[in-house]
Amino acid sequence: MNGIKPALITPGDPSGIGPEIALKAWSEGQKNIVLMGDIEHLSSVALAAGLNISFTSFDSTVSLSAEKCSVWKIDWQVMPCVGQPDPRNAPTIVESIKQAVKQVKQGQFSAIVTSPIAKSVLYENGFEFPGQTEFLAKLDSPESFPVMMLANSALRVVPLTIHIPLSDVEKTITTALFKRTIKVLDTALRQYFNCPFPRIAIAGLNPHAGEDGHLGRFETDKLIPLIQVQEIEKTSLLGPFSADTLFYSEKRDSYDVVLCMYHDQALIPVKTIDFYRTVNITLGLSFIRTSPDHGTAFDRAARFNSHPGSIISAINTAQQMAATKQLHSE
């Protein structure tokens, strides 16, 4: 439609809000997408959500229609029931992710936008990964090193450590983790975000970035030496900065992304700035993957009033990344 191949939207758990928000995204103008799912099920969701949508089966030989939503057919083991996940559909959920990766790596689609899954449902059927990100990396290649970026129109953040206790953060941040994350981040900013000279701000772990060692030695003994080594290697790193003065509007003009030391240090500011339009981006893969920054919301799925802002941002971001990558490869 716009010179960029469509993005493929995985179904996630079809009993959650994934189908609803994907359909709302299409209805609100995101026409360059293909939804993975069952047309009968999607039709029922559209009707319940008050959306007037016609569907057609996806055909790679035919241009996408702005009048009909294209669907990559999935055969559910059990017809999904809103708000009531069924473990019998878990193998199909996993298979849809595998198929999406296969198709994007073959060049059929520009990107994957993954809808939310319920890991507990998948675990009952032998799923052995902490989440979709690790599974996608496994499907990609042994060289993949996934790095999570959260972004909206005002701020990009990367948590260096993610789902671990705060007490484990300092010992988890190794030289290898820091250097590899910086390399992935630097490459992605150039390739996908049109940042020819990336400026990466580093948040300190301790209050006031350690106050010259008086509030903790992590910055002085470990973080500053790591930054100095990377600067020698010509990566533009700034800091470390005290996190309490790093995210206000004027300061954000001085960098392209913030590398945070732990999960909440990154997610609190980006979600506070724009909760509904923040998107999760996985860097370090051979393909583009984005996702809405929320879960399945089984508890509210049957209300059909979920906000589609995050998945719309995920689609827009994926296609902007694809367009920038294409421009740089020409």
Side-chain angles (χ1 to χ4, degrees):
M1 283 187 172
N2 54 11
I4 301 298
K5 290 184 178 179
L8 184 60
I9 316 298
T10 66
D13 194 303
S15 296
I17 64 172
E20 175 196 351
I21 59 174
L23 290 169
K24 285 181 175 178
W26 188 89
S27 183
E28 293 187 21
Q30 299 296 323
K31 306 297 185 181
N32 197 31
I33 60 175
V34 174
L35 275 58
M36 302 181 82
D38 174 84
I39 289 180
E40 180 183 349
H41 170 241
L42 291 173
S43 295
S44 69
V45 172
L47 181 64
L51 304 173
N52 184 19
I53 299 177
S54 298
F55 296 90
T56 184
S57 295
F58 174 68
D59 184 343
S60 61
T61 66
V62 178
S63 297
L64 294 187
S65 167
E67 284 71 44
K68 293 187 177 182
C69 180
S70 292
V71 178
W72 182 291
K73 183 172 174 53
I74 285 179
D75 294 316
W76 296 112
Q77 189 69 28
V78 179
M79 187 58 71
C81 181
V82 177
Q84 299 179 34
D86 195 316
R88 288 173 291 179
N89 281 329
T92 307
I93 295 170
V94 172
E95 183 57 35
S96 72
I97 300 171
K98 291 181 180 178
Q99 189 61 232
V101 170
K102 178 181 177 180
Q103 296 304 320
V104 76
K105 286 174 71 71
Q106 289 179 350
Q108 178 88 282
F109 298 93
S110 64
I112 299 172
V113 178
T114 57
S115 296
I117 61 169
K119 289 175 285 187
S120 60
V121 175
L122 302 189
Y123 289 157
E124 293 182 33
N125 281 267
F127 189 73
E128 299 177 346
F129 297 86
Q132 289 195 86
T133 298
E134 293 81 4
F135 186 41
L136 290 165
K138 177 70 173 180
L139 294 171
D140 187 22
S141 78
E143 289 74 41
S144 295
F145 184 74
V147 171
M148 182 172 76
M149 174 188 281
L150 284 297
N152 54 44
S153 62
L155 178 66
R156 301 185 192 103
V157 295
V158 169
L160 186 56
T161 62
I162 306 178
H163 298 125
I164 61 173
L166 283 174
S167 58
D168 292 342
V169 170
E170 186 168 341
K171 63 186 178 185
T172 302
I173 298 175
T174 63
T175 298
L177 174 64
F178 184 87
K179 294 181 72 171
R180 199 168 183 188
T181 301
I182 290 293
K183 183 177 180 180
V184 168
L185 186 51
D186 185 78
T187 300
L189 287 168
R190 297 173 192 272
Q191 182 179 30
Y192 295 127
F193 298 97
N194 203 29
C195 297
F197 304 103
R199 301 165 301 166
I200 303 172
I202 310 297
L205 171 62
N206 292 300
H208 298 182
E211 196 79 76
D212 294 325
H214 297 290
L215 296 177
R217 300 289 306 177
F218 174 78
E219 289 78 9
T220 303
D221 296 347
K222 194 171 186 177
L223 192 54
I224 291 175
L226 284 173
I227 292 172
Q228 291 172 339
V229 168
Q230 291 299 121
E231 286 177 338
I232 293 172
E233 296 177 1
K234 306 302 183 185
T235 299
S236 180
L237 303 186
L238 311 170
F241 297 107
S242 176
D244 66 346
T245 57
L246 190 50
F247 300 104
Y248 68 96
S249 58
E250 289 84 0
K251 185 67 173 180
R252 295 198 296 268
D253 293 335
S254 68
Y255 54 75
D256 299 303
V257 66
V258 179
L259 180 65
C260 299
M261 296 299 102
Y262 56 93
H263 180 276
D264 286 12
Q265 189 181 53
L267 272 67
I268 289 172
V270 76
K271 287 189 174 185
T272 299
I273 288 171
D274 195 342
F275 183 81
Y276 287 112
R277 292 174 181 82
T278 293
V279 55
N280 188 345
I281 306 164
T282 303
L283 309 176
L285 304 176
S286 68
F287 53 87
I288 296 168
R289 181 266 180 135
T290 66
S291 67
D293 189 33
H294 56 69
T296 54
F298 292 130
D299 59 330
R300 60 174 296 165
R303 301 177 195 170
F304 296 101
N305 63 354
S306 295
H307 196 294
S310 188
I311 195 168
I312 290 173
S313 293
I315 295 166
N316 283 333
T317 299
Q319 298 200 324
Q320 289 165 4
M321 291 170 67
T324 303
K325 180 182 179 181
Q326 180 174 295
L327 181 65
H328 286 176
S329 64
E330 292 175 349

